[in-house]
Amino acid sequence: MAIAQETKAHTHPKMKISSRSIVLWVGVVFMVVFCLAPALWQVLTSFKTNAAISALPTIYFPSFSDLTWDHYTSLGAGFWRYVFNSALVSLLSTLLCLGLGAPAAYTLARIKLPGESLILGGILIVSLFPYVLLFLGLLEIVKFVGLGNNYLALIVPYSAINLPLTILVLRSFFQQLPRDLEDSAKMDGYSTVQMLLKIMIPLTIPALVTTGILAFIFAWNEFIFALTFVTRDAMKTIPVAVAQIGGSSVYEIPYGPIAAATVVGTLPLLVLVLFFQRRIVQGITAGAVKG
């Protein structure tokens, strides 16, 4: 009898849930809801009819009759032109930033330059400088050079703004790589350029992905430069196109089409981050671990 009771006790152990675990899970759920609620509300608004959007009290859980695809179809095929413009500008500026930043970071990591501390200090100051304050100066340069309504008017400033951060991040990664790799490559006849392209850069892929995505997101979301430097409708980027969506009258705010446009404009970034999430985590954590 005692053996049977002991077996039963082992078969059905008592579940003990500590108050600390409950508080932890409540906090996690609260943070997830707090972070995702605005995005989910935007998605829900993009599918709600105009009557459901303006209804009082607010409809938080609409029925099927309150949902529609009209806001997405109202964007038209021309909206994909704005997506293409944002993708082109963001991709080219990111590639230019990484193409210039990687050699510069490797140089600062391996070569003792005169005034190196001043150079690094200047790069750090520029990376912290509010880029909006550069607006008037860049506007005069764009007008003087004649780059208005040209993709280069956005690609070059975006690359320059993201370049200091790229150099600082990649330099820290290059410093962690052992010099024995470079010595072995030189003994095998590699030139400096070959060694950088075939050995050093592949080892810093996580850092390249992390800084590249940050540069891409900045270029994708930037508004002030894109609004001023490019005024031709066919060359506008997504932030400008969304801001200029209008209703049927001056007094109408088209919440539905605006929500649909923001959802369409955010999806590429979401897919990009999800696709490279492992590389991003590696790039963020690798800088804190040596060896």
Side-chain angles (χ1 to χ4, degrees):
M1 186 68 178
I3 297 176
Q5 291 179 352
E6 184 178 355
T7 304
K8 185 177 181 181
H10 284 291
T11 306
H12 303 283
K14 294 182 179 179
M15 299 296 294
K16 294 183 179 180
I17 302 177
S18 64
S19 58
R20 183 177 181 180
S21 299
I22 296 175
V23 173
L24 176 62
W25 280 106
V26 170
V28 170
V29 172
F30 174 78
M31 289 301 300
V32 170
V33 173
F34 180 79
C35 294
L36 294 182
L40 295 177
W41 182 253
Q42 193 78 346
V43 173
L44 181 62
T45 302
S46 69
F47 287 105
K48 290 166 65 175
T49 61
N50 290 327
I53 293 175
S54 58
L56 292 175
T58 303
I59 299 177
Y60 294 98
F61 302 99
S63 61
F64 285 105
S65 60
D66 295 325
L67 300 178
T68 180
W69 284 94
D70 292 345
H71 301 315
Y72 287 92
T73 56
S74 66
L75 297 178
F79 189 79
W80 293 105
R81 176 68 184 182
Y82 305 137
V83 176
F84 171 78
N85 293 336
S86 292
L88 178 65
V89 170
S90 302
L91 180 61
L92 292 180
S93 64
T94 300
L95 293 177
L96 180 61
C97 181
L98 294 178
L100 296 176
Y106 179 75
T107 301
L108 291 173
R110 288 293 188 256
I111 301 177
K112 295 298 181 180
L113 299 174
E116 180 180 358
S117 58
L118 294 178
I119 296 175
L120 293 175
I123 293 175
L124 180 60
I125 292 174
V126 172
S127 65
L128 299 176
F129 196 79
Y131 77 93
V132 178
L133 299 181
L134 304 173
F135 170 70
L136 292 178
L138 287 175
L139 179 60
E140 294 298 326
I141 295 175
V142 169
K143 290 167 58 179
F144 178 79
V145 180
L147 286 180
N149 289 322
N150 192 307
Y151 289 124
L152 289 176
L154 301 179
I155 294 173
V156 175
Y158 293 168
S159 302
I161 291 171
N162 288 309
L163 191 58
L165 178 62
T166 302
I167 293 175
L168 292 176
V169 173
L170 293 181
R171 176 179 176 271
S172 65
F173 271 79
F174 283 131
Q175 285 180 325
Q176 295 179 19
L177 297 178
R179 291 181 178 270
D180 295 341
L181 294 173
E182 300 166 73
D183 296 336
S184 300
K186 290 179 180 179
M187 293 179 63
D188 292 336
Y190 280 79
S191 64
T192 303
V193 176
Q194 290 175 330
M195 181 171 54
L196 179 63
L197 295 178
K198 296 182 179 181
I199 298 178
M200 306 302 290
I201 287 183
L203 293 175
T204 59
I205 290 297
L208 289 172
V209 172
T210 303
T211 54
I213 288 180
L214 292 176
F216 188 92
I217 292 175
F218 169 82
W220 187 278
N221 293 329
E222 202 282 324
F223 178 75
I224 299 297
F225 295 169
L227 176 66
T228 309
F229 299 164
V230 175
T231 58
R232 188 180 303 170
D233 184 72
M235 300 180 65
K236 292 178 181 177
T237 58
I238 286 180
V240 178
V242 172
Q244 295 181 350
I245 293 178
S248 57
S249 65
V250 179
Y251 304 100
E252 178 185 357
I253 300 177
Y255 293 106
I258 291 176
T262 55
V263 170
V264 173
T266 306
L267 278 178
L269 297 181
L270 182 62
V271 172
L272 183 68
V273 172
L274 291 177
F275 184 78
F276 288 105
Q277 61 177 336
R278 181 174 299 179
R279 293 294 187 181
I280 295 174
V281 174
Q282 291 177 352
I284 294 175
T285 57
V289 180
K290 294 186 178 181

